[in-house]
Every structure is written in C-alpha cells, then in structure tokens.
Amino acid sequence: MLRKTFLRRSAAFVAAALAGALLGGGAAQAQAQVEVPFYFPVAVGGPITKIIDGYAADFMKEHPGILVKPIYAGTYQETIVKALTAHKSGTPPVTSVLLSTDMFTLIDEDAIVPFDDFAKSEAEQQWLKSFYPAFMLNSQTGGKTWGVPFQRSTVVMYWNKQAFKEAGLDPEQPPTTWAELKDMAAKLTKKDASGKVTQYGVQIPSSGFPYWLFQTLSTTNGVILANDTGNQVRFDDPKVIEALQYWVDLGKSGVHPQGVIEWGTTPKDFFEKKAAIIYTTTGNLTNIRNNAPFEFGVAMIPGNARKGSPTGGGNFYLFKKSTPEQQKAAFEFIHWMTQPERAAQWSIDTGYVATSAAAYDTPQLKQYTADFPPALVARDQLPHAVAEFSTHDNQRVTKALNDGLQAALTGTKTPEQAMKDAQREATRLLRGYQ
C-alpha cells in the first residue's frame, strides 16, 4: 500500500515537473525576442539619435517580443555602403532608412523585398496608399512598393528678414522667380572697405548633394533629369545646360560664392550672416529655428518656367536575407513608426515633411503649424515636386552628374561641356539597363 502510494506520488511529481518544464519552456519561448537591427543615417544637425532611441524604446514597450537595435551608420552614402556590404556577407540589417534614390540600386542587388507582400489587411493596404503621391515617385516601381516614406523632405529657400530690411527690401516678400532672385541677391550682397564680400546675397551648396540642389534649377527650368524607369538621363538637354549656366552666372556676378560650397556649413553661414538667402533641406528647419539669431522666412524655390523642387530624404526598406520572423517584426515597427501621430511629432522635432495628409490633421501638428506657419511650406510645395534624381547604377551615374556640376562651378569646364561629358558617361553606365 505504501509502495503504491509512493509510486503514485512519484508519478504525480514527475508529471508536474514535466508540465512545469514544458510551461517554462513555453514561457521562455514566448519571452524570446525577435531582433531587428536597424541602420539609421545621421545626415543633418540636431539630436536625431536621441529621438530615434526614444521611438525604439516606446515601440518595444508596446511590443515586448521585438528587440529593435538602432545602429547609427554615418551619412546616407556611408549607410548604403555598409548595408550592401552586410547584405553581401549574409548579415544585413533587417531594416534600414536609406535614400529614396537608392531604390533601383537595392532592387538590382536583390537586397530588399516589397512591402506589398506584408500589407495583408485592408487597413495595412490603405496605409500603403496614405502617403503623399510625390513621395511615392521614389518608392514604387514595376507596380510594387519597395520603400516606405519616413525621413522625407524637399529643398526650400530660407531668407534673413533683417538683411532684407537693411537692403531696403520688403522682408515679407522673398524672390519668386530666377530674375527676382538674382536682382535681390545683388542688393543683399555686402562688401567691406577692401572690396571683400562679407555677406553673399544667395548661397546654394554644391557638395554632399550637388545633383539634388541642381534639381531646384533644372526642375524650375522645365526639365526632368531622368526617366521613370531609371535607365535614361537628359544631362545634355539645352534647358539643363541653361539651368547650370544660371548657377555659374550667380557666382560670376559676385552675388553667390564661387567654387564648391559646403552642404554641411551652409546653415552656419546663414546663422553668421555670411549668406542672406540659402537653399537647403526642410530637414534643417528645426535646426535653423533653434539657432538663427534673427527673424527668418521660408519659401518655395523660385521658379522660372515653372515652380518645383525635388523631393528628398530617406525611406524604410526591408532586407531580403533576414528571416521571415524578422521581416514581419520590422514591418510592424515601420508601420508603427509611420502612423500619423508619430509622423506629425517627427516633423515637429526635425523639420522633415510629415509624409501623409493624415499627419497634418493631427491636433499636435495643427497646433504647431498654426504657431509656426513656415512648417507648411514644404508640404505646400509637394504638388509641384518631382522625384529626386535616381537611376540604375545610381551611385556612379550620380557621380558623373556631380562631377560635371562641380567642374562647371569651379570653372574647369563650361556648363555645356560639363553636361555633355556627364551625359556620355551616364549613357555608357546605363546601356546595360536599356
């Protein structure tokens, strides 16, 4: 009897232990987190990394089964190199914010998967359709969505209202045409007693993203630099050459600094009153608002044949060699990050354009733009916006264009010769994609 009781108790103990082990194993499995390494570029000023870290922490509180690991990979150019190197070695990030113009390159490298495969529910499909059409020009091709807009921008013009007053110009009336820009820039240019320029009328940077800033001129002169499929360019179009000649002539006339102008120092030159008007990304809006020691304005890019600016900035991409579980987790993170409330707050915190109309309908962005109307300029420019320049073999084709632009700006080639040489090189590079 005692032996039977002992055996029953032993059996019960073993069963309980086994059940506990199974439950414990199940709990451990439930607690196991899916890791999502996330490459993020840091290309403009401001406490961007702290903001992204905060978003990642908030997301993980709501999704304890997912571990998002932001990795700050340098500039956009450095980040795409690191991402593709990791892809080729078999250990890519699960997701990354890369330039929207990297789309063709990432497709050609078979590095990414389309988002359409993950947007299963009707709500998710509507979410993919909710972004501004201008931003989708660099996000979709071949009937598929390869990138989700996040850190997006346009080029806008900033002007120093104090400098306008000192020059006898209406501080509330910025230039709206090429002719007005050149005329006002002449009045805004200041020289010291020795004849040295102390304040240029206008400054358009030509390092970092020369092609992008040049698109503010080629677009407004009525020409698009590349076709929709990314396998042909129009660098030698007479309107393109005319646009580059205008840029060169601003320097020759003394109202714009000559040579190559640094992208990164242009906002600082504005703060220090070395330039009265600058062109830069709307992603610098919060930086300029926080640091300009004078009242400033923000306006659309001055037009010639038309209004317009390229869109710019980064998209989220999903990398192909990550596991299905990681891709699904990353999709959840991207979907969460781009909801209207967060897109609105991101716009407020950074100056980037909120990527959907729904974001501008949120209470916080309505209040912010009511208090600070310049935050609406980039959004209002979107109906006139064009795709940022992007082709297959984008890095090398863009380099051909950038080299040509800088050759013209430094005076080593005429605008016509520079663009004809760039066209020849781009045609050679793109021949295999036609």
Side-chain angles (χ1 to χ4, degrees):
M1 183 68 178
L2 286 171
R3 187 172 180 273
K4 287 181 179 178
T5 302
F6 173 77
L7 288 173
R8 280 198 302 270
R9 287 178 178 173
S10 296
F13 175 80
V14 170
L18 182 59
L22 289 171
L23 285 170
Q29 190 173 1
Q31 291 170 4
Q33 291 181 305
V34 179
E35 286 198 8
V36 178
F38 163 40
Y39 281 14
F40 189 85
V42 181
V44 295
I48 299 291
T49 58
K50 290 181 181 177
I51 297 170
I52 291 295
D53 285 342
Y55 282 137
D58 289 345
F59 173 79
M60 288 187 289
K61 284 178 188 174
E62 294 181 27
H63 303 79
I66 301 173
L67 176 63
V68 176
K69 299 171 69 174
I71 299 165
Y72 301 105
T75 63
Y76 277 118
Q77 288 86 348
E78 290 165 341
T79 304
I80 181 68
V81 169
K82 290 176 183 177
L84 286 176
T85 300
H87 164 71
K88 288 171 184 175
S89 70
T91 57
V94 180
T95 184
S96 182
V97 170
L98 299 168
L99 284 173
S100 61
T101 55
D102 289 326
M103 177 180 68
F104 287 118
T105 296
L106 291 164
I107 293 169
D108 292 342
E109 293 286 345
D110 198 25
I112 56 173
V113 292
F115 281 85
D116 314 78
D117 297 344
F118 296 87
K120 302 294 186 184
S121 70
E122 186 177 341
E124 289 168 343
Q125 290 169 10
Q126 288 303 313
W127 162 74
L128 273 186
K129 296 174 183 176
S130 69
F131 300 100
Y132 282 116
F135 291 141
M136 301 312 287
L137 295 173
N138 284 111
S139 305
Q140 295 173 322
T141 190
K144 293 183 179 180
T145 304
W146 298 92
V148 166
F150 175 64
Q151 184 167 284
R152 298 303 301 268
S153 57
T154 65
V155 186
V156 290
M157 178 179 66
Y158 298 82
W159 80 94
N160 178 339
K161 293 187 177 183
Q162 179 183 322
F164 269 55
K165 288 178 186 176
E166 292 171 358
L169 298 169
D170 185 341
E172 303 305 323
Q173 294 296 322
T176 59
T177 67
W178 283 13
E180 287 178 357
L181 176 64
K182 191 170 185 179
D183 180 60
M184 290 186 185
K187 294 174 182 175
L188 290 161
T189 299
K190 290 183 179 180
K191 297 181 180 179
D192 62 18
S194 68
K196 181 183 178 182
V197 175
T198 57
Q199 175 180 281
Y200 284 101
V202 60
Q203 181 167 310
I204 304 172
S206 48
S207 79
F209 310 93
Y211 73 91
W212 194 49
L213 276 298
F214 179 59
Q215 277 190 270
T216 64
L217 299 172
S218 59
T219 301
T220 51
N221 207 35
V223 62
I224 303 299
L225 292 177
N227 65 352
D228 292 343
T229 52
N231 61 9
Q232 289 183 340
V233 298
R234 301 175 64 189
F235 298 161
D236 59 352
D237 187 293
K239 292 181 180 179
V240 174
I241 295 168
E242 182 184 22
L244 181 53
Q245 187 69 60
Y246 175 82
W247 197 0
V248 169
D249 288 346
L250 287 175
K252 286 183 176 179
S253 66
V255 303
H256 182 290
Q258 289 191 285
V260 175
I261 310 305
E262 289 300 317
W263 162 265
T265 59
T266 292
K268 187 170 179 282
D269 291 342
F270 188 59
F271 305 152
E272 295 177 355
K273 303 181 182 179
K274 294 178 182 176
I277 296 171
I278 62 168
Y279 284 24
T280 189
T281 171
T282 184
N284 263 320
L285 178 59
T286 301
N287 176 31
I288 291 175
R289 187 185 190 191
N290 291 340
N291 292 290
F294 46 76
E295 190 179 358
F296 69 92
V298 183
M300 294 186 199
I301 295 299
N304 192 40
R306 55 162 287 185
K307 293 181 180 179
S309 164
T311 60
N315 283 343
F316 275 109
Y317 295 97
L318 280 173
F319 278 76
K320 189 171 188 176
K321 288 184 180 177
S322 47
T323 68
E325 292 77 18
Q326 287 178 313
Q327 291 172 352
K328 185 178 178 183
F331 177 82
E332 287 294 324
F333 175 60
I334 295 163
H335 185 252
W336 184 90
M337 281 285 282
T338 54
Q339 289 303 299
E341 295 76 14
R342 272 172 286 280
Q345 193 59 50
W346 176 251
S347 180
I348 292 166
D349 289 341
T350 64
Y352 284 102
V353 188
T355 49
S356 68
Y360 284 94
D361 286 334
T362 59
Q364 69 261 45
L365 198 48
K366 278 186 174 180
Q367 183 62 54
Y368 180 73
T369 54
D371 295 340
F372 186 51
L376 290 171
V377 172
R379 181 204 66 177
D380 294 343
Q381 191 170 236
L382 287 177
H384 310 289
V386 300
E388 184 175 0
F389 177 76
S390 178
T391 66
H392 293 281
D393 203 356
N394 194 56
Q395 299 285 316
R396 292 200 292 171
V397 174
T398 299
K399 184 179 185 300
L401 175 56
N402 286 343
D403 289 349
L405 296 172
Q406 292 184 342
L409 291 167
T410 56
T412 58
K413 292 182 182 179
T414 65
E416 182 177 11
Q417 189 61 54
M419 289 298 94
K420 285 185 175 179
D421 290 348
Q423 179 71 39
R424 189 178 304 109
E425 175 64 4
T427 300
R428 181 186 72 79
L429 293 168
L430 292 172
R431 193 168 289 125
Y433 299 96
Q434 292 171 358

